[in-house]
Amino acid sequence: MSELAEFRSEVSAWLSENRPAEPDFLLPETFMEVGTDSQFHYLRDWQQQVYEAGYLGMSWPREYGGGGKPQALQDIVTAEMARLNTPFMMNTIGLNWAGPLILSRGSEDEKQRYIQAILSASEIWCQGFSEPDHGSDLGSVQTRAVRDGDDYIVNGSKIWTSLGQHAKHMILLARTDPDASNKYAGLSFFLAPMESPGIEVQPIRKLTGEFGFNQTFFNDARIPATCRMGAEGEGWQVAMSTLTFERGVSGGQAGGTSMIAMKVADVVELARRAKRHGKPAIEDPWVRDQLVRFLSEEQGDRLATARAKHPALVVDRPGALALSGKLRHTEHRRRLCQFAIALQGANGARYMGDAQAIEGGKWQRSYFNAFSATIGGGTSQVQANIIGERVLGLPKH
Amino acid sequence: MSELAEFRSEVSAWLSENRPAEPDFLLPETFMEVGTDSQFHYLRDWQQQVYEAGYLGMSWPREYGGGGKPQALQDIVTAEMARLNTPFMMNTIGLNWAGPLILSRGSEDEKQRYIQAILSASEIWCQGFSEPDHGSDLGSVQTRAVRDGDDYIVNGSKIWTSLGQHAKHMILLARTDPDASNKYAGLSFFLAPMESPGIEVQPIRKLTGEFGFNQTFFNDARIPATCRMGAEGEGWQVAMSTLTFERGVSGGQAGGTSMIAMKVADVVELARRAKRHGKPAIEDPWVRDQLVRFLSEEQGDRLATARAKHPALVVDRPGALALSGKLRHTEHRRRLCQFAIALQGANGARYMGDAQAIEGGKWQRSYFNAFSATIGGGTSQVQANIIGERVLGLPKH
Amino acid sequence: MSAELKNTMSFSEEQSMLLDTAVEFCKAASPIAEVRDLVLTDSGVRADVWQQIVDLGWTGVAVPEDFGGSDLGLAAVVPLAESMGRHLFGGPFVATQLATQTLVAGANAEQQAHWLPKIVAGSAATIAFAENDGSWDLQAISTTLTAGVLSGSKTLVLDAQIAELIAISVRVDGQVAIALLPSAAIPTTQISRDVVLDETRRSYSVVLDGVRVEPDQLITGAAAAAALQATEQAAWLLHAADACGGIHATIDLVVEYLNTRTQFGRKIGSYQALKHPTVDMLMGLERARSHVYHAASLLSAQDDAEVALRMAKAESDDAYNFAADRAIQFHGGFGFTYECDAQLYLRRALWLQYQFGDSPYHWAALQPLLLGN
Amino acid sequence: MSAELKNTMSFSEEQSMLLDTAVEFCKAASPIAEVRDLVLTDSGVRADVWQQIVDLGWTGVAVPEDFGGSDLGLAAVVPLAESMGRHLFGGPFVATQLATQTLVAGANAEQQAHWLPKIVAGSAATIAFAENDGSWDLQAISTTLTAGVLSGSKTLVLDAQIAELIAISVRVDGQVAIALLPSAAIPTTQISRDVVLDETRRSYSVVLDGVRVEPDQLITGAAAAAALQATEQAAWLLHAADACGGIHATIDLVVEYLNTRTQFGRKIGSYQALKHPTVDMLMGLERARSHVYHAASLLSAQDDAEVALRMAKAESDDAYNFAADRAIQFHGGFGFTYECDAQLYLRRALWLQYQFGDSPYHWAALQPLLLGN
C-alpha cells in the first residue's frame, strides 16, 4: 500500500471512531445556519478534536500552529470527511478567509496572534462585508471608519454576519475616505475585535424559524488602528484577495469540509425509504423521471468542472462555466430540496421537532435555507444578468 | 323533438352528406395559412356550397343576401361544423370583420354592393392594418393616404395581408393627417379595391416552407374617395369597432367556423394510434402524465370563459381573464403541437409531403404555424408586460 | 377519453352574498399581525372570532335545515374557505366542515340529530383518517376496532384538542367503518401536537389504544364508504379553495413589494425577470380558481365531480407552491427572514400540497379517468 | 443506484488539433448561404467539399491503421460532428461514420478489408436499421433474409442515393444479422426520398423485396449484436455532438439579433424576457457539451458508456429544441419567415431529437440503469 493510501485508511479509521454521536437536535448544514448554543458547542468541540488530532491546517506552517505537511495529506482528510459525512469545520470564516489572508499578507505578530486560535476554534471569526440594502455590490459599502488618534471610530451596520454573536473577530470592510476618486478607492480592511464597545450583534430570525445570521451594528465603535490590514484605501484589494481564498481559487485554506454537501444520491436513498401512498417513492413513475433528470443535471455540473480543466474545451465562451456556477448550483439545490419533500407523502407537511418528521424535517429546513443561496451574494436574477452581459455580450439595461 | 333539435339534425345530416372529400393535400387550419391555389379553390367552393344551402349569414338581412333568420339557428350550424370538423369558411375577413362593419355602419349602396359577395365568397377580402416594424400598435400606422381630387393617393406597405393575392377588397387603415393632435386622430379607414394600379402583393414564405401571408405595397395607388368609411380622421374608431366584431364581442358575424380548432382530445386520439418504441404512445407513462396536464390546462381555459359570465367571480382583477386569453391560448397551442410530434417516435422527423408522415405531417406544420400566434398581434413577451402592467399594476419599464 | 368534460359553472345569489360577506369579514377579522399572534397560541384561533363565524351561520351552511343549518351544500362553503385562505385563518373551520360532510353523507338520523345541531351551534369537530405511513389512500387503515375497543393511532388530526367530535376511520372485522367519538373519550395524554410547516394550523397525533367505542357511535357498510368519499372530496375542494385565497394574497404581497422596492434606480416590478413570473402566478390563480368553482358547481348539481376535483386540487397546489416560492425569492434578503410574510404563505402552500394528495398524486390518478387504463 | 458515476474527461492533443481544424474548415466550407443552396440540390453536398473532408483524413479517423485510417477512435469524430452541426452540414459524413462503426465492431477481416479502405478513400456508406413503425428499438426488425433473398423495407436511411454500402439489419431464421449490401444491388426504383423536417439531410425509404444477399455479405451472431450496439452508441454520441454545435450556432444567431434589433427605444437583448432564456440556452449547451465529451472519454477508455451516452443524447436534444424554439420566437415576425435562419436550426433540432431515441425515451431508459427496476 502506498504511503498516501495508508494515510487515507488511517484517517478513515480515526474519523469513524471519533466522529461525535448524532445529537438529538438537527445539525446545521453550513456555518451560516448555526443558530443555537448546542449546535455551536457541538461543532466547535468537533473542530477542536480534529485539530488536536492533527487533521486540520495540516499544510499551514508549524510555527503558527499548523502541521507543516504536504497539502496532499490535508486533501485526503477533506475528501474522507466528505465521504463519511462527518460534521463540518465550523470556524469557516477563520479557516477559509481570514487565516489564509493573514498567512499571506499578515505581519509576524498577526500570524502569532491569530492562526492557532483559528484552527483550534478557540477564537471564532465572522465576516463584515455585506450591508443591508446594498446586496452584493461591495463597492457600495457605507459603513464609515474615521481615524481618531490611535483608533478608528466606526459607524454603520453589516448584514449576514453569521456566528457574529460567538465571534471574537470580524474581517471588516469600511469606508475611510468618502471623497475618494472612485467608490472602491475609499475602503479599508480591518481585523476588528468584536468585543469593542459600540458593536452590537442582533440575531435575525430566518424563514426556517431558526436564528443563524445577524445584523451587526456599529455605534461609535472604537477599533485600534493597528487592526487595519493593508494601507488605508487598500481595502478593496485586500477584500478581493480574501474572496479568491473563499472560492478556493488560490488555495491556502486550512482544509476540512465547510458544509454538508447535498447529493442527489441522498434523495435517491430517501426515495427508497420514504413512501408515497403506501409504496416506496422510488417505484412512482413521476419520481423516477424526476430523479434521473436531477442526476443528469448534477452529473452535468460535475462534468463541467472536469471539462474546465481542458482549455481546448472551453475556448468558446471562457467565462461560461465559472460565471454560471452559482446560479446552476443554488437553483439546483432549491429544486432538489423541494422535490425531496414531495417524496414523503402526507409527512411532507411535518417539520423540525416533530417526532415523525422524515429525517427530522431536514429536507423542509434545507428547502427554506436554500433561498439563502439563491438570494445572498447576488440573486439568481442578477446572476442571469451577469451571465447574459459578461459571457454572451448582451446589452446591459 | 323541439324545432331547434330538429334543425340541428337536419344540419348535421346535410353537413355529413355534403362535406367535400378529403383532398390529397394538407388543408390549412386558418385563412391565414391558405398558401396554394388548390387550397384556395377547395375552400372557396365549400363556402359557396354552404352559403347556397342557406347555412351562412343566416341572421343577416335577406335584402342583402342573408337569411333573415334568428341567430340561434346560425349558432347551431356553427356548432355542428365545429363538431363534425368540416372545413372552415375561408372568407374570414369578409365574414367576421368587413361584413359586420358594413352592415352596421355602411350606406345602403355599400350593403347592396358588398354583402352577398362576401357570403358567397365570390369576392374575397383581406386586412390592411399591421405594418412591418410596427407590430401590433395600430396607432403607429405610417401608410399615407393623400387626398387628390376624387381619389386618395396611397403610399406605404402592410404586412400579414393573408389572401391578399386573391382579394378583391382590403379594409385599409391609413394616415390622412400626419399633423393631427394625436397619433390616433390622423387615421382614416377605407374599403380599398385591390385591383387599383400601384398595389402589389408580394407573398412571404413562412418557416413552414409554405406561402400564406403577404406584404402588400402601395406605390402611388389611387383609391376613390367614395371608398372611405366614416369621416376623415375617424379611422381609428372604425378600426376599433371592426376589432370588436373580430373578437366576437358585439356579435354580428356571419357565422360558420373560421378555423380548425385544435383540441387536446385530438392529441389523445393521436396518442392512441401513434406508436413510441413499438407500443401505443398512450401507454407511455411520460405521455400519460403530459396528456392529463394538457387536458387540465385546456379545461381551465374553457372554464375561465364560463366563469367570466358570473360577475361575482371576476371582481378581483376584472381584466385578468380577458387580457390573458391570447397568451394562454397561443402558448398552449405551441406546446401542444410540440408534444404531438413527440408521440410519433422516429416518424416525428417526417414532414408534409412524405408518404409515411403521421396525419400528413400536420402536427409538424401546426407547430411551425403556432408561432404566428405567439408572435403576431403582440408577442407573448409583450402580452406578459401588458398583463403585468394593466392587470397587476406593476410599473412599466 | 371517456365523455367530453363539462363546463358547468353555477354561482347562486346566496353564494355571491356569502362571498361578499366572507371577503369583508375575513379581512377585518384576520389582519396579518393577528395571524402572527395566533401562531404563538395553543388553539390557533380567537374565541370571539370563532363565535362570530358561528353567528354568521357559517358552521351550518352545509347542514340540512332539519338540524338547524341553511342547507346550501358544500359549494357554498367554497367562498368561505377561499376567503379564509386568503387571510391565513387558523382555527377549526375546515376540520369541522370535513366532519360535517362525514355526518351528512354517512351518519344515521340519530347520529346526525346528536351532532349536527351542536356543530351549527359552534362545537368544533374533526376527522382522523390519516395514519403514520403518510399514505393518502383512505382505505389504508391499520386502526382496528375489536370487541368495542380501538387499537392503533391516527395522525395529522386537525384541531383534535378543541374538537368535541372526532370521526375516526377504523376497520371492524376487516371492513371500513367510522367511529364518531366524543373527544372526551380519549385520554388527553394520548393526544400530542404535531409540529407542521404551517404554524397557523393545529395538528395532532392521537393514540387510540384502549379507547372504547359504543355500537351507536359507528358508521358502517355502504354508509361508511359514502362518508369517506364525501369527506375526501370535500377535503380536495376546500383545500383547493383555501389555496386560491392564498395565491391571491401572495400576489398582492408580491405586487405591493415590487411596486415599492427600488434597485439600480428602478422599481423592481419593472424588471421582466420579476414581472413575468408574477403574471404566471396570476394565470395559475385564474386557472385554479376556475377549476375550483367548476368542481363546486358539479357537486351542487350532484354530478360526478372526481375529475374536476382532482384537477382543482392539483392545479391549485402547483400554482400556490409556485407563487409562494417565488414570493420568497422576489423579496430578496428580506424574503429570507421570518419577519417577511411570504413565509406564512409558503408554509400554508406546503401544508395544503401534502394533505389529501399532492399534485403528482392527483395527476397520476387522473390518467385512468381521462385516458383509460 | 448502481455505482457512483465517473467524471472521466480526457481530450488528447490529436483531438484538440482536430477540433481546431474542424472549427476553421467548417466555418469556411459551409457559410449559411451555401447551406440554403444545398437544400435545393439532390445530394445535399458539394463534391469538392466532400473531397476536402476526405483529404483531411476525416473519413478515416475512426478506421484502424491496417485499413488506411488513423485509428483515433470514435471520440475523435466528436469534434468533427460538433463543428459540422454548428455549420449545418449536410452530406454523408455522419451516415458513413455510423456504417464505419458497424464494420469496425462487427465485420470480419475480409469484409473490413473490402469496405474500410474504400470509406477512407471517400466512398459514402450508410445504415438501414429503421423501419416504418417509428420504433427506436433496433431489435424490432421485420425485414427478413430467406434463402438469400430479402423481404421487407427500411426507412429514414440517410444518403442512400450516394452511399456505396448500405448496412441493413435483418432477421435470418429469427436471428439478428446485418447485410453489407452494395447499394448497386438495389434497383433505383426501390429507393425513394423521404420528406423530412431537416432539409439539409437526405433520407430515403428502401424497398428490399427480392434483393439478393450473398453469404459473405453477412454479419451474424454475436458480431451482429456487437455491431448493432456499437452503431447505436455512435449514433447517440454523434447526434448529440451535432446538437451541441447547433446550439452554439443558435445562440450566436440569437445574440447577434438581440444586439441589433431595437424596440421601444432599446436593444431587445436588454430585456430580461429575452436575455434570461438566452442564458438558459447557454447553460443547456454547457451541460450537454460536458456530457458529450465525457461520454466520448468513456468510450475512448473502453469503459461502460451507456448512462453517459443516454444523458448526452437527452440533454443535447432538450437543449437544442429549447434554443431553436426560442430563436424563432425571439426573432419576432422575421422569425416566422423561411428567410430567417432560425428555422434551419429548429428543423435540425427536431431531426436530431427524433433519431435514435428522443429525450423522454432516454430518460425512461436511464431509470432502471440508475435506480434499479
Side-chain angles (χ1 to χ4, degrees):
Chain A
M1 209 195 297
S2 81
E3 213 171 310
L4 289 183
E6 208 169 305
F7 179 69
R8 186 183 300 275
S9 68
E10 169 200 318
V11 173
S12 171
W14 187 88
L15 288 170
S16 306
E17 271 165 45
N18 290 279
R19 67 180 303 159
E22 200 68 29
D24 58 0
F25 49 84
L26 203 53
L27 278 172
E29 295 177 355
T30 76
F31 79 100
M32 291 180 286
E33 299 172 12
V34 178
T36 65
D37 284 353
S38 351
Q39 292 174 333
F40 176 76
H41 289 296
Y42 181 97
L43 289 167
R44 172 145 94 172
D45 289 352
W46 170 237
Q47 181 181 328
Q48 203 158 7
Q49 199 182 343
V50 170
Y51 171 62
E52 281 165 7
Y55 290 140
L56 188 61
M58 292 178 77
S59 72
W60 284 10
R62 278 190 90 81
E63 56 269 44
Y64 309 123
K69 301 213 171 92
Q71 180 66 34
L73 296 185
Q74 182 68 63
D75 290 346
I76 286 173
V77 173
T78 305
E80 284 303 296
M81 285 177 160
R83 194 176 65 81
L84 296 170
N85 246 321
T86 55
F88 59 86
M89 300 291 99
M90 55 85 70
N91 197 8
T92 307
I93 297 293
L95 298 168
N96 296 351
W97 303 47
L101 177 73
I102 292 165
L103 285 174
S104 87
R105 304 181 64 128
S107 65
E108 180 61 24
D109 273 3
E110 285 168 333
K111 293 176 190 170
Q112 295 286 359
R113 164 75 189 81
Y114 295 120
I115 295 300
Q116 203 260 353
I118 285 174
L119 291 170
S120 66
S122 60
E123 293 184 359
I124 303 301
W125 285 69
C126 68
Q127 187 251 67
F129 290 4
S130 300
E131 298 187 358
D133 293 324
H134 294 103
S136 51
D137 178 9
L138 297 187
S140 315
V141 157
Q142 298 298 319
T143 297
R144 280 283 275 131
V146 178
R147 183 69 179 249
D148 182 51
D150 288 345
D151 295 333
Y152 283 89
I153 299 177
V154 182
N155 279 287
S157 86
K158 294 289 177 179
I159 201 159
W160 309 101
T161 47
S162 304
L163 292 179
Q165 70 278 46
H166 302 287
K168 194 158 176 77
H169 311 284
M170 169 189 274
I171 48 175
L172 169 68
L173 193 61
R175 189 163 298 279
T176 42
D177 180 4
D179 306 319
S181 58
N182 70 63
K183 64 181 183 174
Y184 303 106
L187 300 171
S188 298
F189 193 100
F190 301 88
L191 309 178
M194 289 293 282
E195 56 210 10
S196 313
I199 298 185
E200 197 197 330
V201 177
Q202 190 176 302
I204 296 173
R205 199 170 173 198
K206 302 187 294 184
L207 81 151
T208 64
E210 303 164 298
F211 293 91
F213 75 99
N214 306 288
Q215 187 163 0
T216 299
F217 295 91
F218 298 83
N219 289 304
D220 291 332
R222 275 193 176 267
I223 289 172
T226 52
C227 291
R228 202 187 60 231
M229 171 155 269
E232 217 177 71
E234 269 186 21
W236 175 256
Q237 288 84 334
V238 179
M240 286 302 104
S241 70
T242 317
L243 290 177
T244 67
F245 296 122
E246 184 241 343
R247 293 181 186 147
V249 177
S250 53
Q253 300 183 328
T257 51
S258 61
M259 60 187 300
I260 298 295
M262 177 167 301
K263 300 183 215 84
V264 182
D266 299 333
V267 181
V268 173
E269 287 312 309
L270 174 64
R272 292 193 198 288
R273 290 189 309 271
K275 286 188 172 182
R276 275 179 65 88
H277 42 109
K279 283 197 270 184
I282 201 158
E283 295 177 11
D284 179 307
W286 173 77
V287 168
R288 293 172 74 77
D289 182 52
Q290 293 290 303
L291 280 174
V292 297
R293 290 168 194 259
F294 274 119
L295 283 165
S296 182
E297 185 181 358
E298 177 185 72
Q299 171 72 345
D301 273 336
R302 278 178 80 215
L303 295 172
T305 310
R307 177 158 68 87
K309 291 178 185 151
H310 294 279
L313 292 179
V314 287
V315 287
D316 291 309
R317 302 196 186 273
L321 292 174
L323 273 173
S324 64
K326 177 183 187 280
L327 179 59
R328 287 184 280 119
H329 288 106
T330 62
E331 290 291 336
H332 174 83
R333 180 176 169 153
R334 181 181 60 80
R335 289 184 284 104
L336 182 62
C337 294
Q338 222 175 8
F339 172 69
I341 301 173
L343 300 176
Q344 305 174 16
N347 291 319
R350 299 186 192 274
Y351 198 41
M352 279 191 293
D354 187 277
Q356 294 173 68
I358 310 279
E359 301 188 17
K362 80 169 201 177
W363 295 101
Q364 284 78 355
R365 186 185 65 173
S366 289
Y367 170 40
F368 288 168
N369 271 325
F371 286 103
S372 74
T374 62
I375 291 169
T379 65
S380 297
Q381 288 70 29
V382 169
Q383 296 296 323
N385 281 347
I386 291 172
I387 300 164
E389 290 155 19
R390 298 201 201 152
V391 181
L392 293 173
L394 290 170
K396 292 194 81 141
H397 165 54
Chain B
M1 212 194 299
S2 82
E3 212 171 311
L4 289 182
E6 211 169 302
F7 179 70
R8 185 183 300 275
S9 68
E10 170 201 316
V11 173
S12 173
W14 187 89
L15 288 170
S16 304
E17 272 162 44
N18 292 279
R19 66 181 304 160
E22 201 66 29
D24 59 0
F25 48 83
L26 202 54
L27 279 171
E29 295 177 357
T30 77
F31 79 99
M32 290 180 285
E33 298 172 13
V34 178
T36 66
D37 283 353
S38 354
Q39 292 174 333
F40 175 76
H41 289 296
Y42 180 96
L43 289 168
R44 172 145 95 171
D45 290 351
W46 171 237
Q47 181 180 328
Q48 204 159 6
Q49 198 182 344
V50 169
Y51 171 63
E52 281 164 6
Y55 290 141
L56 189 60
M58 293 178 76
S59 72
W60 284 10
R62 278 188 90 82
E63 57 268 44
Y64 310 123
K69 301 213 171 94
Q71 179 67 35
L73 297 184
Q74 182 67 64
D75 290 345
I76 285 172
V77 174
T78 305
E80 284 303 295
M81 287 176 159
R83 194 176 65 81
L84 296 168
N85 246 322
T86 54
F88 59 87
M89 299 294 96
M90 55 84 71
N91 197 7
T92 308
I93 297 293
L95 298 168
N96 296 352
W97 303 47
L101 177 72
I102 293 165
L103 285 174
S104 86
R105 304 181 65 129
S107 66
E108 182 60 25
D109 274 3
E110 285 167 334
K111 293 176 190 171
Q112 296 285 1
R113 164 73 190 81
Y114 296 119
I115 296 299
Q116 205 261 353
I118 286 174
L119 291 170
S120 65
S122 59
E123 294 184 358
I124 303 302
W125 285 70
C126 68
Q127 186 252 68
F129 289 4
S130 300
E131 299 187 356
D133 290 325
H134 294 103
S136 52
D137 179 7
L138 297 186
S140 314
V141 157
Q142 299 297 319
T143 296
R144 280 283 276 130
V146 177
R147 184 68 181 250
D148 182 50
D150 288 345
D151 295 332
Y152 283 89
I153 299 177
V154 183
N155 280 286
S157 86
K158 294 287 178 180
I159 200 158
W160 309 101
T161 48
S162 304
L163 292 179
Q165 70 278 47
H166 302 287
K168 194 158 177 77
H169 312 282
M170 170 189 273
I171 47 174
L172 168 67
L173 193 60
R175 187 164 299 279
T176 42
D177 180 5
D179 305 319
S181 58
N182 69 64
K183 64 181 183 176
Y184 302 106
L187 300 171
S188 297
F189 193 100
F190 300 89
L191 309 178
M194 288 295 282
E195 54 210 11
S196 312
I199 298 185
E200 197 198 329
V201 177
Q202 190 176 302
I204 296 174
R205 198 170 175 200
K206 302 187 294 184
L207 82 152
T208 64
E210 305 164 297
F211 293 92
F213 75 101
N214 305 288
Q215 187 164 357
T216 299
F217 295 91
F218 298 83
N219 287 307
D220 289 331
R222 273 191 179 268
I223 290 171
T226 52
C227 290
R228 202 187 60 230
M229 171 155 268
E232 215 176 73
E234 268 186 21
W236 174 255
Q237 288 83 336
V238 180
M240 286 302 103
S241 71
T242 317
L243 290 177
T244 66
F245 297 120
E246 183 242 344
R247 293 179 187 148
V249 176
S250 54
Q253 301 183 329
T257 51
S258 61
M259 60 187 299
I260 298 295
M262 178 167 299
K263 299 183 217 85
V264 182
D266 299 334
V267 182
V268 174
E269 287 312 308
L270 174 64
R272 292 193 198 285
R273 290 189 308 270
K275 285 188 172 181
R276 275 179 66 90
H277 43 110
K279 282 196 270 184
I282 201 159
E283 295 176 13
D284 180 308
W286 173 76
V287 168
R288 295 172 74 76
D289 182 54
Q290 293 290 303
L291 281 174
V292 297
R293 291 169 195 259
F294 274 119
L295 283 165
S296 182
E297 185 180 358
E298 176 184 70
Q299 171 72 344
D301 273 337
R302 278 178 79 217
L303 296 173
T305 310
R307 178 159 67 87
K309 292 177 184 151
H310 294 279
L313 292 179
V314 286
V315 287
D316 291 310
R317 303 196 185 272
L321 291 175
L323 273 173
S324 63
K326 176 183 189 281
L327 179 59
R328 285 183 282 121
H329 288 108
T330 61
E331 289 291 336
H332 175 84
R333 180 177 169 153
R334 181 180 60 79
R335 288 184 284 104
L336 183 62
C337 294
Q338 220 175 10
F339 172 69
I341 302 173
L343 300 176
Q344 306 174 15
N347 291 319
R350 299 186 192 275
Y351 198 40
M352 281 191 292
D354 188 276
Q356 295 172 70
I358 309 281
E359 301 187 17
K362 80 168 201 178
W363 295 101
Q364 284 77 355
R365 187 185 64 171
S366 289
Y367 170 41
F368 288 167
N369 271 325
F371 286 104
S372 74
T374 61
I375 291 170
T379 64
S380 296
Q381 288 70 30
V382 169
Q383 295 296 323
N385 282 347
I386 291 172
I387 301 165
E389 290 155 20
R390 298 201 201 153
V391 181
L392 292 174
L394 289 171
K396 293 194 81 143
H397 165 56
Chain C
M1 194 161 51
S2 53
E4 182 98 340
L5 298 175
K6 298 194 176 173
N7 68 342
T8 317
M9 187 72 69
S10 59
F11 198 65
S12 68
E13 198 53 42
E14 285 98 340
Q15 283 170 298
S16 182
M17 283 166 55
L18 275 170
L19 179 57
D20 283 350
T21 311
V23 166
E24 289 309 310
F25 173 77
C26 292
K27 187 176 175 186
S30 186
I32 207 87
E34 181 79 27
V35 171
R36 286 181 175 274
D37 285 349
L38 284 170
V39 159
L40 305 171
T41 66
D42 228 33
S43 70
V45 64
R46 261 174 53 183
D48 59 330
V49 170
W50 180 250
Q51 189 55 50
Q52 286 173 288
I53 286 172
V54 174
D55 294 345
L56 283 163
W58 292 0
T59 51
V61 162
V63 172
E65 289 181 4
D66 286 355
F67 305 110
S70 49
D71 203 16
L72 295 171
L74 187 62
V77 184
V78 166
L80 310 181
E82 184 185 24
S83 301
M84 289 183 177
R86 185 161 166 190
H87 295 281
L88 293 169
F89 263 66
F93 184 76
V94 172
T96 304
Q97 288 300 322
L98 298 182
T100 300
Q101 290 300 315
T102 306
L103 292 166
V104 170
N108 62 34
E110 279 143 58
Q111 291 165 335
Q112 291 185 336
H114 182 70
W115 286 112
L116 288 173
K118 282 186 205 264
I119 284 175
V120 174
S123 291
T126 192
I127 58 168
F129 289 0
E131 303 198 354
N132 293 347
D133 67 352
S135 173
W136 292 302
D137 179 356
L138 297 188
Q139 306 292 326
I141 302 167
S142 313
T143 302
T144 57
L145 178 65
T146 312
V149 179
L150 290 169
S151 166
S153 56
K154 295 286 178 175
T155 190
L156 296 168
V157 181
L158 279 175
D159 306 294
Q161 208 152 59
I162 57 173
E164 289 183 33
L165 164 67
I166 305 186
I168 304 166
S169 62
V170 297
R171 290 209 174 260
V172 186
D173 297 332
Q175 300 302 305
V176 175
I178 297 171
L180 301 172
L181 202 68
S183 58
I186 305 169
T188 53
T189 52
Q190 291 181 207
I191 301 180
S192 60
R193 189 164 155 189
D194 299 325
V195 185
V196 296
L197 283 165
D198 181 357
E199 296 181 314
T200 69
R201 292 290 183 206
R202 294 296 171 272
S203 170
Y204 301 85
S205 291
V206 182
V207 176
L208 295 165
D209 296 332
V211 174
R212 292 201 63 83
V213 177
E214 304 305 324
D216 64 358
Q217 293 174 327
L218 271 188
I219 304 175
T220 58
L228 270 194
Q229 192 195 10
T231 310
E232 183 176 42
Q233 294 200 342
W236 295 340
L237 183 64
L238 299 185
H239 280 69
D242 192 299
C244 286
I247 307 167
H248 197 124
T250 305
I251 293 172
D252 287 346
L253 183 77
V254 168
V255 167
E256 162 78 19
Y257 192 72
L258 262 50
N259 269 315
T260 311
R261 171 92 172 161
T262 299
Q263 276 212 320
F264 307 108
R266 285 163 58 189
K267 293 266 172 61
I268 60 174
S270 68
Y271 291 103
Q272 289 174 326
L274 308 186
K275 182 184 286 180
H276 290 190
T278 308
V279 168
D280 291 337
M281 294 180 205
L282 176 68
M283 294 201 291
L285 166 60
E286 295 297 330
R287 189 196 300 169
R289 211 169 169 236
S290 297
H291 279 289
V292 165
Y293 279 95
H294 167 61
S297 304
L298 289 179
L299 285 177
S300 288
Q302 299 191 298
D303 237 330
D304 180 2
E306 182 176 353
V307 165
L309 286 162
R310 289 186 185 275
M311 285 184 174
K313 178 74 167 69
E315 294 280 9
S316 63
D317 281 338
D318 282 348
Y320 199 2
N321 278 273
F322 170 75
D325 174 281
R326 294 296 80 196
I328 301 284
Q329 179 71 21
F330 293 176
H331 277 80
F334 179 52
F336 190 62
T337 67
Y338 191 80
E339 189 191 342
C340 175
D341 293 331
Q343 54 96 359
L344 297 169
Y345 300 105
L346 181 57
R347 287 159 177 267
R348 174 68 67 98
L350 287 160
W351 167 263
L352 293 170
Q353 171 83 277
Y354 294 111
Q355 298 314 298
F356 299 93
D358 64 358
S359 49
Y361 172 81
H362 288 292
W363 294 128
L366 282 163
Q367 292 174 17
L369 296 172
L370 293 169
L371 309 173
N373 283 308
Chain D
M1 192 161 52
S2 51
E4 182 96 340
L5 297 175
K6 298 193 176 175
N7 67 342
T8 317
M9 187 70 71
S10 59
F11 198 65
S12 68
E13 198 54 41
E14 284 99 339
Q15 283 170 296
S16 182
M17 282 167 56
L18 276 170
L19 178 57
D20 283 349
T21 312
V23 167
E24 289 309 310
F25 173 77
C26 293
K27 187 176 174 183
S30 185
I32 207 87
E34 182 79 27
V35 171
R36 286 180 175 274
D37 286 347
L38 285 170
V39 159
L40 305 170
T41 65
D42 228 33
S43 69
V45 64
R46 262 176 51 182
D48 59 331
V49 170
W50 179 248
Q51 189 56 50
Q52 286 173 290
I53 287 172
V54 174
D55 294 345
L56 283 164
W58 292 0
T59 52
V61 162
V63 173
E65 288 180 5
D66 285 356
F67 305 109
S70 48
D71 203 17
L72 294 171
L74 186 62
V77 185
V78 166
L80 311 180
E82 185 185 23
S83 300
M84 289 184 177
R86 185 163 166 187
H87 294 280
L88 293 169
F89 262 67
F93 185 76
V94 172
T96 304
Q97 288 301 320
L98 298 183
T100 301
Q101 290 299 315
T102 307
L103 292 166
V104 170
N108 63 33
E110 279 143 54
Q111 291 164 335
Q112 290 185 338
H114 181 70
W115 286 112
L116 289 172
K118 282 188 203 265
I119 285 174
V120 174
S123 292
T126 191
I127 58 169
F129 289 180
E131 303 198 354
N132 293 348
D133 68 351
S135 173
W136 293 304
D137 179 355
L138 297 189
Q139 305 293 325
I141 303 167
S142 314
T143 301
T144 56
L145 179 66
T146 314
V149 178
L150 289 169
S151 166
S153 57
K154 295 287 179 176
T155 190
L156 296 170
V157 181
L158 278 174
D159 306 294
Q161 208 152 58
I162 56 174
E164 289 183 33
L165 164 67
I166 305 186
I168 303 166
S169 62
V170 298
R171 290 212 174 258
V172 187
D173 296 333
Q175 299 302 305
V176 175
I178 297 172
L180 301 172
L181 202 70
S183 58
I186 306 169
T188 52
T189 53
Q190 292 180 208
I191 301 180
S192 60
R193 188 162 155 190
D194 300 324
V195 185
V196 296
L197 283 166
D198 182 358
E199 297 181 314
T200 68
R201 291 291 184 206
R202 293 298 171 270
S203 170
Y204 300 86
S205 291
V206 182
V207 176
L208 296 166
D209 296 332
V211 174
R212 291 202 63 83
V213 177
E214 304 305 326
D216 65 358
Q217 293 174 325
L218 271 187
I219 304 176
T220 56
L228 270 195
Q229 192 195 12
T231 310
E232 183 175 42
Q233 295 202 342
W236 294 340
L237 184 64
L238 299 185
H239 281 68
D242 193 298
C244 286
I247 307 167
H248 198 123
T250 306
I251 293 172
D252 286 347
L253 182 77
V254 168
V255 167
E256 162 79 19
Y257 192 72
L258 263 49
N259 268 316
T260 311
R261 170 93 171 159
T262 297
Q263 276 214 320
F264 306 107
R266 285 163 57 189
K267 294 266 172 60
I268 61 173
S270 68
Y271 291 103
Q272 289 174 326
L274 308 186
K275 183 184 288 181
H276 289 189
T278 308
V279 168
D280 291 337
M281 295 179 203
L282 175 68
M283 295 202 290
L285 166 60
E286 295 297 330
R287 190 197 300 171
R289 208 166 174 241
S290 298
H291 278 291
V292 165
Y293 279 95
H294 167 60
S297 305
L298 288 179
L299 284 176
S300 288
Q302 299 191 299
D303 237 328
D304 180 2
E306 183 176 355
V307 164
L309 286 162
R310 289 186 185 274
M311 284 183 175
K313 178 76 166 67
E315 295 278 10
S316 63
D317 282 338
D318 282 348
Y320 198 3
N321 278 274
F322 170 75
D325 174 279
R326 294 297 78 198
I328 301 284
Q329 179 71 19
F330 293 176
H331 277 79
F334 178 52
F336 190 61
T337 67
Y338 192 80
E339 188 192 344
C340 175
D341 294 331
Q343 55 96 359
L344 298 168
Y345 300 104
L346 181 57
R347 287 159 177 268
R348 175 68 67 98
L350 286 160
W351 166 263
L352 294 170
Q353 171 83 278
Y354 294 111
Q355 298 315 299
F356 298 94
D358 65 357
S359 50
Y361 172 81
H362 288 292
W363 294 128
L366 282 164
Q367 291 175 17
L369 296 172
L370 293 169
L371 308 172
N373 284 309

